[in-house]
C-alpha cells in the first residue's frame, strides 16, 4: 500500500494530538500534585475542573478520532507502529518542557523507534 498525503496526515494528526494530550495532562498533574489514598477523592474532583486536564482529554479525543479514521483507510500493521512516534515526542517534550533528565540509553531507544517506524512505512 502506498502512503498518500491524506493517510500520512491522519497518522500525524493522531500522533500530535496524543502528544498534545500528554503535555496538557502532565501540566495539569503538576498543578494538582501527587495523588495518594488520602487525597484521592479531592484529586478526582479537582481533575475535572483543571483546565489543562480538560484540554488534555480533548486532545486525546481528537487523536482517537483521527486514529479511527486512519484505521479505516490504512492497515493496522502500519498505523499502530506509526503512532509509536508519540513516544519519541514524549521523551523530547519531557526534556524540553518539563526539564526531565534523559539518559543516553533512552535516546538510543528513541532512535530505534524512529528507525523501526521508517522501516514499517516504507514501500
Amino acid at each position: 500500500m502506498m502512503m498518500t498525503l491524506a493517510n500520512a496526515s491522519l497518522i500525524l494528526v493522531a500522533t500530535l494530538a496524543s502528544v498534545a494530550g500528554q503535555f496538557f495532562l502532565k501540566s495539569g498533574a503538576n498543578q494538582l500534585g501527587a495523588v495518594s489514598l488520602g487525597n484521592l477523592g479531592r484529586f478526582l474532583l479537582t481533575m475535572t475542573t483543571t483546565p489543562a486536564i480538560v484540554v488534555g482529554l480533548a486532545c486525546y479525543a481528537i487523536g482517537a478520532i483521527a486514529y479511527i479514521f486512519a484505521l479505516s483507510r490504512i492497515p493496522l500493521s502500519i498505523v499502530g507502529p506509526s503512532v509509536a512516534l508519540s513516544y519519541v515526542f514524549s521523551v523530547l517534550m519531557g526534556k524540553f518542557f518539563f526539564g526531565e533528565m534523559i539518559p543516553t540509553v533512552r535516546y538510543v531507544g528513541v532512535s530505534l523507534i524512529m528507525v523501526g517506524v521508517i522501516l514499517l512505512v516504507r514501500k
Side-chain angles (χ1 to χ4, degrees):
M1 149 171 233
M2 182 160 193
M3 182 64 69
T4 66
L5 181 59
N7 288 349
S9 296
L10 282 172
I11 292 172
L12 185 63
V13 168
T15 302
L16 293 179
S18 172
V19 170
Q22 291 175 31
F23 172 81
F24 286 108
L25 290 179
K26 175 64 174 166
S27 296
N30 285 348
Q31 292 171 19
L32 294 174
V35 65
S36 67
L37 286 177
N39 69 358
L40 181 61
R42 180 191 58 79
F43 192 88
L44 291 172
L45 182 61
T46 307
M47 275 186 356
T48 62
T49 59
T50 302
I53 290 180
V54 173
V55 170
L57 292 173
C59 288
Y60 268 124
I62 291 166
I65 291 167
Y67 187 74
I68 293 166
F69 286 174
L71 288 172
S72 75
R73 302 168 61 143
I74 310 163
L76 176 61
S77 61
I78 294 173
V79 177
S82 295
V83 297
L85 287 175
S86 66
Y87 299 130
V88 174
F89 294 124
S90 295
V91 169
L92 297 174
M93 186 172 42
K95 176 175 179 51
F96 293 110
F97 290 100
F98 298 106
E100 297 175 2
M101 296 300 298
I102 310 299
T104 303
V105 70
R106 202 167 299 158
Y107 284 119
V108 171
V110 163
S111 299
L112 291 172
I113 290 170
M114 290 173 21
V115 168
V117 169
I118 290 167
L119 290 174
L120 284 167
V121 299
R122 285 185 53 166
K123 185 176 175 183

